[in-house]
Every structure is written in C-alpha cells, then in structure tokens.
Amino acid sequence: RVVEALQKNLPTLQVTGFYTEECRENGQRTGFDIIRWKQNHHRSNILERVPLARLGSQKPTVGKYTVFVDNVRQVAVSSLPLATNGHKIGEEGEPMLQVIDEVGKMELLCRDFFPAVERVLNGVQPSSIVIGTVPLPRRPIREVDIIKSRSDVLVLHVTRSNRDRLTAALITAILEDSKKASLREVLQPYVATTSYELRDSQQQHNNDTKNAKAQMVLTLPKIQPCGPLISNTIEPRILLMGETASPQPDQVGMEYAERSMWSVLSMIVGLSVSNKDFDSYQTLKEATLSRGIAIWDVLSNVIHDTARRNRKSKKKIGEEKPNRLMTFVEKYPSTLAFCFIGVKARKTFGKHFGVSDTDSKLTISSSRSSIRLIVLPSSSKSNKLLLEEKAAKWGNVMEEFFLD
C-alpha cells in the first residue's frame, strides 16, 4: 500500500528492491516467494517472482522450509542498486524508493545479501529513501542489530492493530516532509526503541503476536552538513569548532544559527541581537567573522535535532567522518588557532588527527608556524558556568588573535 500510494502521488518515482510473499495451497502455507521490481525500457515498474523457500528438508533450511539461496542472489541481491563509477545511488536527483522486505534468516543464508543491503544504506542520497522490514527473533541476529543501531535508521513497531494508522502516517510523512529531520517526529508514536519495549508490546497485544514479530525499518533522509563559515573579505585567524556538524538549513544564510555558541559570541562582539531572526543573525555573524573567526566542526556527521535534544535516545553516530581540516589550513594559512567548544570536540579531533590530549600545538609543516590547540568552555546549557563567565573565558583566549 505504501509503494502504490507513493507511485500514484510521485509519477517520476523509481522503485527498486524486493518483497516476500507467502505461498498457500488449500489454505496451508507451503513457502515463500521473492518478488522484485524491474524497470523496462519505458522506465515503468514490472514485477518478477521466483521461489524463496518451499516445504522440504533439503539443505539449507530455515525451520521446515528449504531455502533457494541462488534465487536470493540472482533476484533479491540483484534488485538492490549499486553505486558505480563513483556515483551514489539516486544521485541524479529523481526520487527513488528502495524496498528491502525482509532482512531475515532466509535471505541472510546468501553471503552476498547483507553486503548488498549495507551498500544501499551507505549509498542512498537525499532524493531517495529505503523502506524495509526486519524480524523480531527470539535470539539476536547480528545483521539485524547492525541495521537497527544506525543513526540514520528508524525502527517502527508494526502490529495488526496499528498497521493501518502507521501506513497512513508513513505515506503522509514522506509525501509532505519538507524539513529533513521531521520524519522522526511524525513517526515517533510508532518508533520501537528497545527489545524490551517490543516484547512488552507483544504481551499487551496477544492477538497481534504473530504480526508483532516484524518491524519496519526506514532510512531518515540524508542531511547534508554545513561547510565552513568564513568571511568573504577577512582571512581567518581562528577556526572555532564543535564536535558534530550542523545540518544545512532550509533558508540560505542561516547556517549554524541553531548553535548555542552565538549567545557567547554576541557578548564578545558587543551585540545584543538574536540569532533566530534572519537580519539580526546576519549582523551577528558578520561581526564575528570580521574579527577573523571562522566556524566549522571536527566531524562532518550530522546528528538529527531530535537526537540532540534527547541524548538518552541518541543512536550511535556510526562511522565518524572528520572534516578536511588540514585542507582548510592549506587554503587559509592565516589560521593560527583551533578553538574547540568543549573537551569532547578536542578529544575527537585528537583521535582523528593523531594529536594527544596534552598537546597544545599542531605542527603542519616545517615551512609554517604551529597551530595553537585551545579548549574553550562548552557553550551549552549543561555547562553550569554563567553566560558572562563563558564569554570572559572565551574572550581572554581569543582576543590575542583578533584582527583590529
């Protein structure tokens, strides 16, 4: 139903992937089929069906079913698009829906299956989304746990009693979503956060026990990080950095506007203006950059706003990807200091750039002076220092590098 509704409302939507379906004879289940979407030369979607499993004892088996591993490889795996020639999946900008139903024991008997799933999850672009299902097994499945631990994946609990509401909410969220982080908020009532929660929910819905053994997994849209914020006329002398990246804003010119650092910087530059209003933010930003301060982050990983607000529910960041800070220094040799907002940003920098926590300088090359490494008090509200104290500490450190 989700696929049909999306195709109806998005005429250019490309659908790839596969789903599985029961086979029945005389009311009895006899096995499962794999059904994949294919596109003909007119780019319309057609379906291809092959057996996944049938009742039998010939190895390999899952339960009482013989699994046709070659069909998984030839149909399910081949239905998952690959990144080729350096291009990402969906890079041309046309909307693409990728269906993976499911990542289960039968499919995982094929050695090529899970690597293909990971390539899809790692390669999906902003114009694409992945919808799949994973089982709720009695014993953990390593590959399923890997998928569920990703920061760009939501796990949605599906039961017979909520599936119609969930389907409607999912369709609405995808079709009407304009703010990249809002999918998590719209679908929050259906998000399964722990295995205990899922098992408790199963006990509450005895009639749904069979249906509650599967969850839907949904990729959150890839949020692009902000690049460095630099004056158009003043060479940077300080690179001010947090740990993780700010997401690209909906409105050009509002990059980094959500950061708590602006309350500190506004006191340093002597402006009592808001970073929420567009015109005021431009004034505050220009006053900051004109003093030779540039702004970026140690990592290019973006953490969703809801995860930032609720640290207890924050998923693993995944593979940390440092920004190209050495390239920044090469491009802007005027840079004299890296100022880290909080100890955590400094530790993450040291981990990725081979600098110990006690080093106070970074040597780039013998042809230029070292870069000072300075840790500033965190600007977040969790730091109990008064705002005036934070501003004083920041100002005392940074003023020696300011341009007159």
Side-chain angles (χ1 to χ4, degrees):
R1 289 177 55 192
V2 173
V3 175
E4 291 174 354
L6 292 176
Q7 285 181 308
K8 180 179 179 180
N9 288 275
L10 297 171
T12 62
L13 179 70
Q14 300 179 58
V15 181
T16 62
F18 73 95
Y19 64 97
T20 55
E21 192 173 82
E22 286 186 350
C23 299
R24 289 183 172 270
E25 292 183 9
N26 300 321
Q28 300 296 314
R29 181 195 290 165
T30 58
F32 303 88
D33 282 349
I34 303 171
I35 304 167
R36 74 166 173 179
W37 283 272
K38 296 178 67 177
Q39 291 187 341
N40 60 23
H41 64 284
H42 296 298
R43 303 190 71 184
S44 60
N45 295 116
I46 58 176
L47 298 175
E48 177 185 9
R49 179 189 292 262
V50 298
L52 168 61
R54 292 293 185 269
L55 289 171
S57 57
Q58 183 177 344
K59 299 294 183 180
T61 60
V62 172
K64 57 186 178 181
Y65 300 99
T66 293
V67 180
F68 304 109
V69 175
D70 284 344
N71 285 351
V72 176
R73 181 179 299 106
Q74 294 169 10
V75 178
V77 173
S78 66
S79 74
L80 304 178
L82 302 178
T84 57
N85 299 324
H87 294 290
K88 295 284 189 176
I89 298 164
E91 193 170 46
E92 295 179 357
E94 291 190 3
M96 178 182 287
L97 174 64
Q98 296 162 89
V99 180
I100 305 175
D101 177 17
E102 68 176 353
V103 181
K105 290 183 178 180
M106 292 183 179
E107 293 83 2
L108 289 168
L109 287 174
C110 174
R111 292 182 178 180
D112 297 332
F113 178 72
F114 189 64
V117 171
E118 287 198 300
R119 284 196 296 270
V120 168
L121 295 177
N122 292 333
V124 67
Q125 289 296 286
S127 61
S128 302
I129 194 167
V130 179
I131 297 177
T133 57
V134 294
L136 178 59
R138 293 180 179 177
R139 297 176 181 175
I141 298 175
R142 183 183 67 88
E143 293 85 353
V144 170
D145 289 342
I146 289 173
I147 292 173
K148 291 165 70 172
S149 70
R150 293 176 64 107
S151 63
D152 57 353
V153 165
L154 284 182
V155 183
L156 307 175
H157 186 37
V158 185
T159 68
R160 182 177 298 174
S161 61
N162 78 2
R163 62 187 179 186
D164 290 339
R165 296 193 307 274
L166 172 56
T167 298
L170 180 59
I171 292 169
T172 300
I174 294 174
L175 290 176
E176 297 183 1
D177 179 46
S178 59
K179 295 185 66 176
K180 294 183 173 63
S182 67
L183 272 178
R184 185 188 296 272
E185 296 174 357
V186 172
L187 298 171
Q188 188 61 42
Y190 307 98
V191 172
T193 57
T194 67
S195 58
Y196 301 103
E197 177 182 314
L198 293 173
R199 293 192 179 97
D200 289 345
S201 183
Q202 282 180 278
Q203 293 171 3
Q204 294 169 12
H205 299 280
N206 293 329
N207 294 333
D208 294 336
T209 299
K210 293 183 180 180
N211 294 289
K213 289 185 178 179
Q215 292 86 54
M216 181 180 296
V217 293
L218 172 71
T219 55
L220 291 166
K222 299 292 184 181
I223 301 179
Q224 300 304 307
C226 289
L229 194 60
I230 308 167
S231 170
N232 292 326
T233 58
I234 303 297
E235 290 288 306
R237 296 168 67 85
I238 298 171
L239 181 57
L240 182 62
M241 288 185 281
E243 184 197 18
T244 55
S246 281
Q248 286 281 359
D250 294 332
Q251 185 176 11
V252 175
M254 294 298 286
E255 293 80 5
Y256 297 95
E258 83 286 357
R259 293 290 185 90
S260 61
M261 64 183 175
W262 294 109
S263 60
V264 180
L265 289 169
S266 65
M267 296 192 70
I268 292 175
V269 301
L271 288 174
S272 180
V273 295
S274 171
N275 58 313
K276 307 300 182 184
D277 173 72
F278 181 84
D279 291 333
S280 297
Y281 180 59
Q282 305 313 305
T283 301
L284 175 57
K285 183 170 59 174
E286 180 56 34
T288 301
L289 301 183
S290 66
R291 282 167 169 75
I293 300 175
I295 296 168
W296 208 10
D297 295 293
V298 178
L299 301 175
S300 63
N301 303 74
V302 176
I303 301 298
H304 290 271
D305 286 344
T306 49
R308 288 185 188 274
R309 292 194 295 267
N310 186 1
R311 293 287 178 176
K312 291 182 179 180
S313 67
K314 177 179 172 181
K315 290 189 175 184
K316 296 177 182 177
I317 195 173
E319 180 185 356
E320 292 184 348
K321 299 176 182 178
N323 277 315
R324 301 175 65 181
L325 301 180
M326 297 306 104
T327 301
F328 179 94
V329 172
E330 292 174 4
K331 185 174 181 180
Y332 301 102
S334 58
T335 307
L336 300 177
F338 286 172
C339 291
F340 302 95
I341 305 174
V343 174
K344 193 172 182 181
R346 172 64 177 86
K347 288 182 175 293
T348 301
F349 172 82
K351 179 172 67 174
H352 288 283
F353 293 92
V355 181
S356 74
D357 292 345
T358 58
D359 288 339
S360 61
K361 294 183 179 180
L362 173 66
T363 301
I364 304 297
S365 67
S366 57
S367 61
R368 64 154 292 162
S369 58
S370 299
I371 292 179
R372 292 266 303 277
L373 304 177
I374 303 169
V375 179
L376 302 174
S378 172
S379 59
S380 73
K381 292 181 179 180
S382 61
N383 182 347
K384 299 306 180 183
L385 285 176
L386 295 175
L387 180 58
E388 292 78 7
E389 293 176 299
K390 297 174 186 177
K393 290 178 179 293
W394 282 36
N396 289 339
V397 169
M398 300 170 72
E399 282 177 357
E400 68 173 286
F401 302 104
F402 283 172
L403 293 171
D404 296 331

